[in-house]
Amino acid sequence: FMSSQNKPLVRNFMIMLICFIVDSTIAYFLPLNLDKSSITVVPSIALMMFVPLSMTLPDAPSRFFFATVSGVFYTLVYGRELSIYVLIFLGFTFVRSYIYHSDNLSLGEFLFLCMLAITAKEVIVYIMLLSAKITHMAILTFALKRLLPTLGVNLLLSPIVYMIFKSFHIKVDINPYDDLEN
């Protein structure tokens, strides 16, 4: 049987799994150009849901475990060979745990954090691909044909993700400073 400690972790993994399925389904209908000559849109529902979910776990070890597994899922869905997603998710968890640890985000804070997370992820991946000489896309082309369309579509989707997260009524009774006091 599942202990009461593991229930939030399992719940979060189930939510993320559903988000990855929705992301993949939406991605099927959005422009994705392998030759990078026109607009590319990357739906980031799973990443947007991860932003608030990362603070719903009661302690840092479970948050970082959740981030690692979510990063592996993200790698399997999007990155294939780019395991950098695990580090990106761990970085987001670090920021959410120790820098911006509020577990009750307003819509404005949620939108800001999500757009910041999506921008950071896209820029980090772009820099990695550029430095590995996998892409030769100019910065302006990247910004106009991938980053801005991706941010635009995800900005439209983010209020829906926020409402869905809020509909779960997840209550968090943690002191984010507990980990720092020990």
Side-chain angles (χ1 to χ4, degrees), residues 161-180:
V161 175
Y162 180 78
M163 289 187 306
I164 290 170
F165 174 76
K166 285 295 192 181
S167 73
F168 292 133
H169 303 292
I170 299 172
K171 301 290 182 224
V172 183
D173 297 321
I174 59 171
N175 176 356
Y177 296 107
D178 280 347
D179 298 326
L180 300 176

Side-chain angles (χ1 to χ4, degrees), residues 11-174:
R11 174 204 61 217
N12 285 7
F13 283 133
M14 295 305 295
I15 292 169
M16 289 300 291
L17 182 63
I18 292 166
C19 289
F20 284 122
I21 292 169
V22 172
D23 268 349
S24 296
T25 304
I26 291 173
Y28 181 78
F29 297 102
L30 292 175
L32 176 65
N33 296 290
L34 299 175
D35 65 0
K36 309 295 185 217
S37 62
S38 58
I39 291 176
T40 298
V41 176
V42 180
S44 297
I45 290 171
L47 180 58
M48 289 189 289
M49 187 60 81
F50 178 82
V51 168
L53 276 180
S54 63
M55 283 306 292
T56 64
L57 297 169
D59 56 52
S62 59
R63 279 183 235 139
F64 286 101
F65 176 72
F66 175 62
T68 301
V69 174
S70 295
V72 169
F73 279 166
Y74 208 90
T75 298
L76 294 174
V77 172
Y78 295 108
R80 311 293 184 275
E81 68 283 337
L82 281 180
S83 57
I84 188 70
Y85 291 114
V86 174
L87 296 175
I88 291 171
F89 274 72
L90 287 169
F92 293 154
T93 301
F94 177 80
V95 168
R96 289 286 288 132
S97 293
Y98 299 110
I99 297 172
Y100 193 85
H101 50 75
S102 173
D103 63 341
N104 189 14
L105 298 173
S106 68
L107 177 60
E109 291 169 318
F110 177 78
L111 293 174
F112 176 76
L113 287 173
C114 286
M115 294 307 110
L116 191 61
I118 292 167
T119 301
K121 178 207 43 118
E122 289 294 325
V123 168
I124 290 167
V125 169
Y126 171 70
I127 290 169
M128 292 285 298
L129 293 174
L130 200 58
S131 61
K133 297 186 185 338
I134 296 172
T135 188
H136 301 287
M137 186 186 315
I139 293 172
L140 186 60
T141 304
F142 162 73
L144 295 176
K145 293 190 176 187
R146 178 164 175 138
L147 182 61
L148 291 177
T150 294
L151 286 173
V153 168
N154 285 296
L155 188 61
L156 294 174
L157 295 172
S158 59
I160 298 165
V161 175
Y162 180 78
M163 289 187 306
I164 290 170
F165 174 76
K166 285 295 192 181
S167 73
F168 292 133
H169 303 292
I170 299 172
K171 301 290 182 224
V172 183
D173 297 321
I174 59 171

